[in-house]
Amino acid sequence: MTLNLTKLSLSLASAALLVGGAPIMAKSMSANPMVGGAAMYPTKDIIDNAVNSKDHTTLVAAVKAAGLVETLKGKGPFTVFAPTNAAFAKLPAGTVDTLLKPENKAMLTKILTYHVVAGRMTAKDIAAKAKMNGGKAMLKTVEGENLTAWEKGGAWYLTDAKGGMAKITIANVMQSNGVIHVVDTVLMP
């Protein structure tokens, strides 16, 4: 067996493996952030990435209890403001357990869909929308009510319908069917 090394090259600038001058991997390597100690892959959907984040086990359990797995595995695109386990822990004692009960599925669904906006909105998109609207972007959620996005001191925040605030702690976690922005507080419709 003979290996012709003159036809094999690695282009670091584009991170594409070339064989005989033809790309094997057309896309460049992802610069997606790690979330919950796990790599997030732009080729996977929202659910397939979220289940690997140790910081989002409560959110994944809630999405399953609400019957939203197939929706968030769907084509989308979706923008998801994903509360961490610590965000859920800020809720009054017993709230999460109560919401996960089958008889509270409607309320759980309402809360979870309040964290989802139709379409793919990157941090740059949110910032541009805020700039066009005096520094605040109104984001219509799938639940039907608005979230308000705004910037202070270089950080981006969301204000919910009840006046609660969540900070976006990790932005632009790209997914095959949208984008996730990790938030530190559960938002309430």
Side-chain angles (χ1 to χ4, degrees), residues 5 7-8 19 25 29 51 65 71 74 76 88 95 100 106 137 141 143 148 156 167 172-173 179:
L5 294 178
K7 299 253 183 186
L8 178 66
V19 175
M25 185 175 65
M29 298 289 187
V51 298
T71 300
F88 281 100
T95 302
L100 292 176
T141 69
E143 181 270 337
T148 304
W156 281 88
K167 181 179 181 181
N172 296 332
V173 185
V179 60

Side-chain angles (χ1 to χ4, degrees), residues 19-185:
V19 175
I24 290 177
M25 185 175 65
K27 285 188 171 182
S28 64
M29 298 289 187
S30 167
N32 251 11
M34 299 278 287
V35 177
M40 298 287 114
Y41 298 100
T43 56
K44 291 186 176 185
D45 65 49
I46 291 165
I47 296 299
D48 288 345
N49 271 319
V51 298
N52 293 319
S53 169
K54 67 177 175 52
D55 291 344
H56 290 90
T57 56
T58 304
L59 177 61
V60 170
V63 167
K64 288 177 181 177
L68 294 173
V69 170
E70 288 308 310
T71 300
L72 292 175
K73 285 183 76 56
K75 184 177 178 180
F78 306 105
T79 298
V80 177
F81 297 101
T84 61
N85 295 341
F88 281 100
K90 290 181 183 179
L91 295 172
T95 302
V96 174
D97 290 336
T98 300
L99 287 171
L100 292 176
K101 292 181 180 178
E103 62 268 24
N104 296 320
K105 183 178 178 181
M107 178 56 72
L108 178 61
T109 300
K110 182 177 176 78
I111 292 169
L112 292 175
T113 57
Y114 190 60
H115 289 79
V116 180
V117 173
R120 182 186 308 252
M121 293 196 73
T122 65
K124 184 178 179 180
D125 297 329
I126 294 168
K129 188 170 184 170
K131 185 177 181 179
M132 289 177 15
N133 294 294
K136 294 187 177 185
M138 299 301 287
L139 308 175
K140 183 78 157 182
T141 69
V142 171
E143 181 270 337
E145 295 182 60
N146 288 325
L147 290 170
T148 304
W150 50 281
E151 183 265 338
K152 179 181 178 185
W156 281 88
Y157 296 86
L158 299 166
T159 302
D160 64 25
K162 299 195 180 322
M165 286 191 315
K167 181 179 181 181
I168 297 176
T169 58
I170 303 173
N172 296 332
V173 185
M174 304 311 289
Q175 315 289 301
S176 64
N177 62 345
V179 60
I180 291 175
H181 302 287
V182 178
V183 294
D184 68 353
T185 304

